[in-house]
Amino acid sequence: MIHLGFVASNYDSAMFIRKSVVGHIVVLLYVDDMIVTGDDEDDIANLKQQLHSLFEMKDLGYLRYFLGIEVAYSPEGYILSQSKYISEVISRAGLTDDRIMDSPIEVNHRLSSTDGELLSDVTRYREVVGSLVYLMVTCPNITYVVHVVSQFASASRTTHWTVVLRILRYLRGTVHHGLLLSSTSDLVPTGYFDAGWAGDPTDRKSTTGYCIFLGNSLVAWKSTKQSIVSRSSAEVEYRAMATTTVELI
């Protein structure tokens, strides 16, 4: 890609950008798959010819499916979802009932590292939680609870597995939901944040949560523990604000 005039992105080593007279071309690589996009259609066509001359490859047309992410088009923009992947994760977890939950976790529910019995086999727990982490790509509504259950991957208990199953039942009810990346809104970035003071009963650390919009499109989000124990709710909020500001910039 460097030989073809592309520059590697500072944010993703698998993303390459090339500037043209009209605009830019962006290429995202994963093993032997790639996504090509940009605002210079002539240069994109030229890139395809260059790649065809170097490699044996196939043009699959407009993006529909990539690494478990489904892409749909509408007059409002692009819709990203993972309905097929959700069904595969539910099957992998061995969830056979048809129950649906209206939330991924109960309000004010706190998980402990000592409640419940240790799971005899933690492999399935780790596999399912790892899949849930990938589902956060298009499901920001499970970010917090996945952050919580992932902390118990090394010593998983029955209470933790119960919450994981609740997440899956919630996803079953929202399987056709997705993210809309608007094609009509402005490109002004906006960030929102919140924080929970000393919410973890084990280490008393606080949690930062933020989401960042580009116009009307949600483009970044995260829920994570703060690195140190804060002594006041005001300190927690300032740390959350600082983290969100860094990401926004």
Side-chain angles (χ1 to χ4, degrees), residues 25-36:
I25 297 179
V26 179
V27 176
L28 182 64
L29 299 177
Y30 182 80
V31 190
D32 58 349
D33 294 322
M34 71 169 58
I35 299 175
V36 180

Side-chain angles (χ1 to χ4, degrees), residues 34-149:
M34 71 169 58
I35 299 175
V36 180
T37 186
D39 49 10
D40 189 340
E41 295 186 5
D42 292 336
D43 203 18
I44 290 177
N46 181 47
L47 172 63
K48 290 180 181 180
Q49 292 179 354
Q50 291 176 315
L51 293 174
H52 274 295
S53 66
L54 296 173
F55 307 100
E56 182 179 346
M57 56 181 294
K58 185 177 181 180
D59 186 351
L60 299 178
Y62 287 107
L63 181 63
R64 299 292 182 185
Y65 189 84
F66 187 76
L67 302 181
I69 301 174
E70 301 156 45
V71 182
Y73 304 89
S74 76
E76 289 78 21
Y78 300 93
I79 302 174
L80 307 181
S81 63
Q82 291 174 282
S83 57
K84 180 181 178 182
Y85 190 75
I86 290 174
S87 299
E88 292 174 353
V89 176
I90 291 176
S91 176
R92 192 181 310 151
L95 193 60
T96 56
D97 61 69
D98 296 326
R99 295 172 57 194
I100 293 176
M101 294 294 179
D102 57 4
S103 64
I105 192 172
E106 296 179 6
V107 178
N108 296 324
H109 185 72
R110 296 287 184 270
L111 286 180
S112 170
S113 59
T114 56
D115 292 341
E117 299 179 0
L118 286 169
L119 297 177
S120 57
D121 181 12
V122 298
T123 301
R124 183 167 62 169
Y125 183 93
R126 293 172 180 173
E127 289 177 350
V128 174
V129 170
S131 299
L132 291 175
V133 171
Y134 187 61
L135 279 171
M136 291 193 301
V137 172
T138 63
C139 301
N141 43 343
I142 64 170
T143 301
Y144 168 72
V145 66
V146 173
H147 157 71
V148 172
V149 297

